[in-house]
Amino acid sequence: VRTLFVDPAPRCGMREPYEHLGLSSLSAVLSEKGYQAEILSAPLLNDSPRRLVKKIIRFDPHILGFSVKEINARRTLRLIKTLRHAGLQSHITLGGHFPTFNPIQILQDFPEVDSIVRGEGEYTMAELVHALDNGGPLSTVRGLTYREGNDIADNPPRPLIEDLDRLPFPSRDMTPQVIHHGGTIGISASRGCYGNCSFCSIRSFYSASPGQKWRSRSPRHVVDEIEMLASRFPQTPFTFIDDQFIGPGEKGKTNVLDTVSEIQKRGLSIQFIVSCRVDAIEEDLFASLKAAGLKRVFLGVESGTQQGLDRLNKKTSVEQNKRALKILDAIGLEYTIAFIFFDPYSTMKTVKGNLEFLSDIRTHWQGKKGVLSIEPSITVHKGTPIERHLRSEGRLSGNYLGYRYTIEDRKVQIVRTIVDCLIRRILPTFHQLRIKGRSITKRMKKRLASVPLRMRMTPRRKRCIANLKKPSGPP
Ligand code: B12
Ligand code: SF4
């Protein structure tokens, strides 16, 4: 049985190339069980949908699996329709966060899709392949939602994988390509997060299956993989994709310190990047991490006002935000600050507060060590607390393929529209040009010229402007 996994995301000019560790892990498990599996990464190969269709049809897999994030959902479903029109007969299954939260709706609305793998996919996918290969029943495959005649069957959830050390190391077919394009090696030491931020779907994703929500591999197992990769791909930095590199409580800290000492004991000279919450930043801990090769920290600062942090349910304070940056500066570590400028409840006061905060800390992010990564406004994902809130307030429009909301305070809504346009459309132009460094004026003119045009023309802008013209007051 030939299985083809596809990452259908478009290439984003601002982002480093990456490997899809979810698909690499699925592919490794299938190979371990004796099945042939390959991965097609559209962002890595810079494949247009048309080229992707051609490649998939040429491959002609028995089973075709797409990894779908909400942002890529429409694109993927369009692609699948085109594949079916072109006569593709494969069993098409979807996995990842977006399908996990919307399995029934997708199967109802898109007859081209045969099944959905919910939650962690390794063992569900292996059983699905086995059942399809042997004509076995799908009703016993836990974690699977599938078509049964005209009905949709939603099997019980599969418990989370208890011992992550039992999984084979992810396949590394994509790694040489990623490195060739200047990317880092992705590695996963744990799954899940102990936070419950209102905009994030991690907690809901892992809570949909029974079992412990945060799990880590043993330090020795992680360093075994690092050692193997460091000898295969010397000099390439690693990126830990863990939601929280520092796990909860003492166990989380001990785990990290054990990993550090294992790296040092084996004399591995590596560099790595991690993500964590601001309340996990401790001087001693991060000094040890730096000694083991930590190069950059991706920090979830998110807001500059206490009101904003509370609304996002970050369970952190503005002081903790500032303290974390001070510690990283003192140790001499580089960092990227993740910051969300607007949320559905933003007021002029919180917008000003955010600006003041950014201006307060600008010595950090304007300096050599810091980079500011602004998400102009929250994207509402299915399965998040903020989605439930906005829905209960009747403030969500759109559907599971993409939600929209307006900010209550209309002045803030205007500022958001402008900032959105600046950050999503204009700034990327400069960024891309700096990276690629070619035909600067030509591309800049083209890009800037298209912005006001698009603002006037798209239906979304029209709706947005119509909303702004409505008299203010409670909606
Ligand atoms: C690393 C990462 C990235 C990297 C690399 C992405 C990648 N595809 O690997 C980069 C930086 C590029 C990235 C970008 C973005 N990301 Co991101 N990312 C992550 C992160 C932190 C880890 C992903 C990972 O490797 N997990 C570990 C592997 C083992 O798990 P997995 O990928 O979920 O795969 C498992 C299952 O989901 C399932 N599965 C997944 N795909 C498939 C497919 C099939 C066929 C099957 C059967 C099963 C299956 O089985 C896998 C094995 O168990 C996750 C958070 C998370 N914990 O997952 C966010 C996350 C996936 N990202 C998210 C978002 C929103 C984005 C961006 C939109 C951010 C932005 N504003 O630009 C972009 C989108 C880029 C794009 N166009 O696709 C959201 C998705 C939310 C949603 N509901 O769709 C997440 C969940 C973060 C969050 N806080 O909510 N991301
Ligand atoms: S701390 Fe990060 S990963 Fe955890 S819930 Fe909050 S945003 Fe999500």
Side-chain angles (χ1 to χ4, degrees):
V1 180
R2 277 194 320 277
T3 301
L4 180 66
F5 292 113
V6 181
D7 176 359
R11 175 175 284 185
C12 170
M14 284 175 74
R15 227 169 237 137
E16 278 182 357
Y18 61 89
E19 52 192 327
H20 193 306
L21 275 190
L23 293 183
S24 310
S25 183
L26 293 165
S27 158
V29 169
L30 288 193
S31 305
E32 194 182 56
K33 301 208 180 284
Y35 292 110
Q36 188 196 339
E38 284 193 35
I39 300 172
L40 194 52
S41 165
L44 198 53
L45 302 172
N46 203 7
D47 276 336
S48 62
R50 183 184 293 200
R51 204 150 3 130
L52 211 49
V53 167
K54 272 194 190 153
K55 284 186 178 175
I56 295 171
I57 291 190
R58 208 175 315 133
F59 192 91
D60 193 20
H62 295 105
I63 303 168
L64 177 60
F66 286 92
S67 185
V68 198
K69 287 195 189 71
E70 203 164 295
I71 197 169
N72 305 319
R74 288 176 198 271
R75 176 188 173 93
T76 311
L77 292 160
R78 264 200 312 269
L79 194 78
I80 293 173
K81 270 187 195 292
T82 313
L83 287 165
R84 287 296 194 216
H85 279 306
L88 191 86
Q89 297 291 320
S90 323
H91 177 100
I92 297 186
T93 191
L94 311 184
H97 280 244
F98 174 75
T100 295
F101 291 124
N102 307 288
I104 311 249
Q105 293 96 317
I106 296 173
L107 289 179
Q108 271 168 356
D109 296 347
F110 298 91
E112 301 82 5
V113 179
D114 296 305
S115 67
I116 306 281
V117 169
R118 308 182 325 260
E120 285 179 338
E122 285 88 348
Y123 296 126
T124 308
M125 187 67 197
E127 286 181 23
L128 172 66
V129 174
H130 183 79
L132 292 173
D133 189 23
N134 295 287
L138 297 184
S139 57
T140 53
V141 182
R142 281 181 295 172
L144 189 75
T145 306
Y146 64 103
R147 250 172 241 298
E148 205 171 41
N150 288 331
D151 294 331
I152 290 166
D154 199 26
N155 292 347
R158 174 177 299 274
L160 294 169
I161 300 166
E162 214 176 284
D163 181 5
L164 295 176
D165 283 6
R166 287 184 53 206
L167 286 173
F169 292 157
S171 70
R172 292 293 173 173
D173 307 347
M174 285 183 277
T175 316
Q177 188 91 359
V178 170
I179 295 173
H180 177 74
H181 287 100
T184 55
I185 306 173
I187 184 156
S188 162
S190 65
R191 288 186 184 179
C193 175
Y194 53 96
N196 191 17
C197 304
S198 65
F199 56 91
C200 176
S201 58
I202 305 291
R203 183 137 170 171
S204 321
F205 181 78
Y206 291 108
S207 301
S209 311
Q212 192 159 3
K213 308 306 164 222
W214 183 82
R215 291 141 299 143
S216 66
R217 293 164 63 192
S218 66
R220 186 185 285 249
H221 197 252
V222 174
V223 182
D224 281 349
E225 191 184 0
I226 292 179
E227 193 169 22
M228 178 273 288
L229 292 167
S231 70
R232 234 179 114 187
F233 309 107
Q235 314 280 317
T236 313
F238 291 83
T239 297
F240 282 91
I241 57 87
D242 307 34
D243 299 308
Q244 289 310 320
F245 184 66
I246 320 286
E250 276 311 302
K251 182 171 184 265
K253 234 160 93 179
T254 316
N255 231 35
V256 165
L257 288 172
D258 288 349
T259 308
V260 165
S261 58
E262 192 67 33
I263 290 173
Q264 288 167 333
K265 208 164 75 192
R266 298 193 199 183
L268 296 173
S269 167
I270 56 161
Q271 288 194 318
F272 58 95
I273 299 165
V274 303
S275 299
C276 71
R277 291 170 57 90
V278 292
D279 50 6
I281 304 283
E282 288 177 21
E283 194 153 355
D284 292 354
L285 184 63
F286 276 76
S288 310
L289 282 166
K290 190 183 176 204
L294 176 61
K295 186 172 171 268
R296 174 170 285 275
V297 181
F298 192 88
L299 206 56
V301 166
E302 317 298 8
S303 177
T305 69
Q306 198 52 50
Q307 233 179 323
L309 289 170
D310 294 346
R311 273 198 313 256
L312 300 178
N313 199 30
K314 278 305 292 182
K315 305 270 188 230
T316 53
S317 65
V318 178
E319 274 324 299
Q320 277 175 315
N321 280 346
K322 290 184 177 166
R323 187 177 154 270
L325 299 182
K326 264 199 197 119
I327 293 177
L328 294 179
D329 274 341
I331 302 173
L333 276 166
E334 297 172 18
Y335 46 83
T336 300
I337 302 166
F339 199 84
I340 301 173
F341 216 92
F342 299 100
D343 67 62
Y345 303 93
S346 290
T347 59
M348 267 329 223
K349 202 168 151 208
T350 55
V351 171
K352 275 187 204 145
N354 276 343
L355 284 172
E356 273 160 24
F357 176 83
L358 291 179
S359 142
D360 255 17
I361 63 158
R362 76 176 181 281
T363 45
H364 298 275
W365 57 271
Q366 282 186 341
K368 266 193 270 154
K369 303 283 180 198
V371 172
L372 182 66
S373 164
I374 294 189
E375 185 72 30
S377 44
I378 279 184
T379 305
V380 176
H381 294 300
K382 179 95 182 266
T384 53
I386 205 158
E387 184 230 9
R388 290 192 288 276
H389 253 93
L390 289 171
R391 186 181 301 288
S392 70
E393 292 173 349
R395 289 180 54 195
L396 270 190
S397 57
N399 62 18
Y400 69 100
L401 292 166
Y403 290 116
R404 286 188 300 275
Y405 60 87
T406 46
I407 297 178
E408 274 181 327
D409 185 325
R410 298 207 183 279
K411 273 194 219 147
V412 180
Q413 176 66 27
I414 296 175
V415 182
R416 174 205 180 192
T417 310
I418 295 167
V419 174
D420 245 357
C421 164
L422 252 170
I423 291 182
R424 290 197 210 273
R425 297 197 191 280
I426 298 178
L427 288 186
T429 312
F430 290 99
H431 199 100
Q432 269 176 25
L433 289 170
R434 207 175 49 208
I435 295 173
K436 293 182 180 165
R438 44 180 256 258
S439 76
I440 293 176
T441 40
K442 203 170 149 198
R443 285 192 63 184
M444 195 161 73
K445 271 187 202 157
K446 204 170 144 195
R447 187 88 187 225
L448 290 177
S450 71
V451 171
L453 199 69
R454 265 190 237 150
M455 277 181 66
R456 278 199 300 273
M457 283 176 59
T458 64
R460 194 168 159 204
R461 295 275 174 225
K462 275 187 191 158
R463 261 199 311 277
C464 191
I465 289 163
N467 274 339
L468 293 176
K469 283 182 185 156
K470 280 186 198 159
S472 54

